[in-house]
Amino acid sequence: MPSRLKVILTRRLPDAVETRLRELFDAELNLDDHPMGKDELKAAVARADVLVPTITDKIDAEVIAAAGPNLKLIANFGAGTDHIDIAAAAARKIIVSNTPGVLAEDTADMAMGLILAVRRRLIEGATVMAEGRFEGWTPTAMLGRRLWGSRLGIIGMGRIGQALARRARVFGMQVHYHNRNRLNAGIEEELGATWWDSLETMLPRMDVVSLNAPATPETHHLMSAERLALMKPDAVLINTARGEIIDEIALVEALDRRSLAGAGLDVYEHEPAVNPGLVNRPEVVLMPHMASATQESREDMGERVILNIKTLENGHRPPDRLLPPMA
């Protein structure tokens, strides 16, 4: 039999994905799902034809320098690739691919869920019931804020931002957005979205701000102390993108002085660590980085990984190939 591509997985993937990878390639699985350290990642790239990492694996220049001559592709299991040094890979003529477009709907569901949870105090209400503290309805108990007619400011209007905008319109929210590039008029009309070229001008007018931008040097601490201070005291901040977009120390300080009404977070600046100042606050809803955690999305991600590997094996450019940033 002809030799098959050596594909090394850094983490456990859904059974259906792993089984298909084993059928098509010489796939090496991580059955106990332990996070690989740097030495183990170096050993993997030294003997693999294809490495399949996840967001928790830091594939930096040092790891890529250890790659053997057979490493052709880093097929990332996920859309975000800020954990991979794409420029270093390109210098070694190693292709990097990702899995775009399969997470948008599930992530938008989570963002919408966090908006509901924070504005309508859903977690607080569930806790009251779980602890047996419900003593009957009263006119002033558990008062939240209405979604209908409120203004949602979306930062980052890519696939996820647009999917969130569609959901928000169903709830009667007024959609606003800030993006590096303005959407075309047809999409703006479909979404009923108002564009702001200045984030500083948009923020003071919003009731809810949702972060849906990628992690780049430009978006690091995009929500700084200065920008958080621009938000209304009764506004809430939602983040299902990347933790480092928010200065978490500044966020805790804003919550402490009540210049911000609440937050719903699925990602964290120093993940998996969570700033202690965000924990056990009734106005803050914390999720364990699960926005894309559906069976369907994980299997779809696996299918994109397989497609990229198979396309390379057949002598063609992987459809989700990423190019290094321009200098």
Side-chain angles (χ1 to χ4, degrees), residues 116-137:
L116 278 164
V118 178
R119 293 281 282 183
R120 293 302 309 273
R121 302 174 65 178
L122 299 185
I123 304 301
E124 290 181 76
T127 301
V128 166
M129 300 304 295
E131 295 177 352
R133 294 189 284 114
F134 179 54
E135 297 179 353
W137 180 87

Side-chain angles (χ1 to χ4, degrees), residues 93-246:
K93 301 188 185 310
I94 300 167
I95 296 171
V96 177
S97 65
N98 66 342
T99 62
V102 300
L103 310 177
E105 301 301 328
D106 294 327
T107 303
D109 283 346
M110 178 61 74
M112 196 69 230
L114 285 171
I115 293 170
L116 278 164
V118 178
R119 293 281 282 183
R120 293 302 309 273
R121 302 174 65 178
L122 299 185
I123 304 301
E124 290 181 76
T127 301
V128 166
M129 300 304 295
E131 295 177 352
R133 294 189 284 114
F134 179 54
E135 297 179 353
W137 180 87
T138 65
T140 57
M142 299 301 300
L143 297 182
R145 299 303 298 263
R146 178 184 292 166
L147 266 64
W148 185 272
S150 63
R151 292 187 174 95
L152 167 64
I154 298 174
I155 300 176
M157 202 60 144
R159 291 186 181 95
I160 297 170
Q162 292 178 40
L164 174 59
R166 294 186 183 96
R167 286 156 175 76
R169 286 201 71 191
V170 174
F171 281 87
M173 301 182 79
Q174 303 298 315
V175 176
H176 298 251
Y177 76 99
H178 172 76
N179 202 50
R180 182 172 55 184
N181 299 309
R182 185 172 184 174
L183 301 176
N184 68 52
I187 296 176
E188 277 193 355
E189 183 177 0
E190 175 203 348
L191 300 176
T194 300
W195 179 63
W196 296 84
D197 62 346
S198 166
L199 187 56
E200 281 71 18
T201 306
M202 183 183 83
L203 286 173
R205 295 168 165 83
M206 298 298 110
D207 301 300
V208 180
V209 172
S210 177
L211 302 178
N212 302 101
T216 67
E218 293 73 27
T219 61
H220 181 78
H221 283 189
L222 181 73
M223 294 306 295
S224 60
E226 293 76 15
R227 289 196 173 113
L228 289 168
L230 294 174
M231 294 178 65
K232 298 194 300 183
D234 60 353
V236 301
L237 181 64
I238 306 298
N239 190 9
T240 57
R242 287 290 186 268
E244 54 266 39
I245 297 177
I246 300 175

Side-chain angles (χ1 to χ4, degrees), residues 269-324:
E269 186 174 0
H270 302 293
E271 202 167 308
V274 179
N275 189 309
L278 295 170
V279 179
N280 293 325
R281 302 187 76 122
E283 76 277 26
V284 177
V285 176
L286 304 178
M287 292 287 111
H289 200 150
M290 56 183 284
S292 64
T294 68
Q295 188 70 32
E296 294 86 352
S297 75
R298 293 292 187 256
E299 291 183 0
D300 287 346
M301 290 164 68
E303 289 298 323
R304 295 298 300 187
V305 167
I306 291 168
L307 174 63
N308 282 300
I309 299 173
K310 195 64 181 172
T311 303
L312 179 78
E313 185 181 51
N314 292 337
H316 304 291
R317 179 181 297 175
D320 301 317
R321 177 192 183 192
L322 297 168
L323 298 176

